[in-house]
Amino acid sequence: MRKRLGMITPSSNSVLEPVTSAMLAGAPDVTAHFSRFRVTEIALDAAALSQFDASVMLPAADLLADAKVDAIAWNGTSASWLGIGRDRSLCEAITERTGVPATTSTLACIEAGRALGARRVGLVSPYTDDVQRRIGDVWAEEGIPPHAERHLGLRDNFSFGEVAPATIAGMIRAVAAEGADAIVILCTNLDGAALAATLERELDIAVLDSVAVTLWRTLELAGGDIRALAGWGRIFKTSAVIK
């Protein structure tokens, strides 16, 4: 039976839609559908943080529900600096309004690391120093203190999508060299999904791209077959562990 996946998408993101569609090219019974709301920068000032208020995100979920989607994801990582509780509350609100199960990129990344039994999680992101420090604190509060990290110091969300895959791969290799046993590419506007399987073989560690992992968890919530995407990384051979 066809599965429809709803993705709430940052307005300035140019990566997650084409990457998700490319990943689903080999899964003809699964389609992804996207609803945007305005996000233009990632920072810790009040204006930047207010972009992620539930009042502007929930209408995007309502529009996806009109397409009779089987699961909805907030395809963004904002809870990694706003606090994980924000995403849990958002998912509850989405399901209460629409009757559709929901997840987010941050929750999916955390669940993926736990499902794979990762003990030393490294983070790769495009974010600024202060945002990256805050992410480390939030993940530590969740019991996953980052073992190592690399970030690019960028603020403009559109610019994240312009980062070359070779740059992302170099960051992953650097974090792996510090002993991480799983690396999260923590941004759904970094073009890293196509790197995961190759780097997993090269480095013998899990590489968890945010776009790919969001698709993994959303498809599983929808009752779809994650194994159809096994060529995109080892996470697609592993079911989520619900904590």
Side-chain angles (χ1 to χ4, degrees):
M1 183 178 296
R2 180 183 178 192
K3 299 296 181 182
R4 299 178 181 88
L5 310 180
M7 303 293 183
I8 302 173
T9 306
S11 61
S12 53
N13 187 310
S14 63
V15 168
L16 76 85
E17 288 167 306
V19 168
T20 300
S21 297
M23 295 182 71
L24 291 176
D29 293 332
V30 184
T31 55
H33 308 272
F34 304 91
S35 184
R36 290 178 178 247
F37 73 101
R38 175 150 287 132
V39 176
T40 59
E41 61 180 353
I42 302 302
L44 298 183
D45 59 79
L49 296 177
S50 69
Q51 297 172 114
F52 302 103
D53 192 88
S55 65
V56 297
M57 300 172 78
L58 290 171
D62 292 338
L63 296 176
L64 290 168
D66 290 347
K68 309 298 183 185
V69 295
D70 298 289
I72 293 174
W74 155 224
N75 210 320
T77 56
S78 56
S80 288
W81 57 91
L82 290 171
I84 306 301
R86 289 283 291 267
D87 270 7
R88 294 193 173 110
S89 295
L90 177 65
C91 290
E92 290 173 0
I94 289 171
T95 301
E96 181 178 353
R97 287 167 72 107
T98 67
V100 178
T103 189
T104 74
S105 298
T106 295
L107 294 177
C109 286
I110 290 170
E111 290 166 355
R114 288 173 173 163
L116 292 170
R119 297 182 179 276
R120 300 183 303 279
V121 175
L123 299 180
V124 166
S125 91
Y127 305 129
T128 55
D129 295 347
D130 56 346
V131 172
Q132 191 78 348
R133 285 193 297 270
R134 177 59 183 151
I135 290 169
D137 293 342
V138 169
W139 279 58
E141 291 168 1
E142 193 66 16
I144 311 174
H147 177 78
E149 63 86 18
R150 291 292 188 278
H151 61 284
L152 294 172
L154 302 176
R155 176 178 176 133
D156 174 60
N157 195 65
F158 178 81
S159 70
F160 305 164
E162 301 293 287
V163 176
T167 298
I168 301 168
M171 297 166 73
I172 291 169
R173 291 188 179 101
V175 172
E178 295 189 26
D181 60 8
I183 296 173
V184 175
I185 304 172
L186 191 68
C187 176
T188 63
N189 202 22
L190 279 182
D191 193 7
L195 302 172
T198 298
L199 288 175
E200 285 180 339
R201 291 189 294 269
E202 174 190 328
L203 302 171
D204 193 26
I205 60 173
V207 177
L208 302 171
D209 173 78
S210 291
V211 175
V213 171
T214 304
L215 179 56
W216 162 77
R217 184 64 185 123
T218 310
L219 181 56
E220 190 170 57
L221 275 180
D225 183 6
I226 60 173
R227 295 169 299 176
L229 303 177
W232 289 87
R234 63 180 65 175
I235 190 58
F236 290 101
K237 302 174 185 177
T238 309
S239 294
V241 176
I242 307 300
K243 296 293 185 181

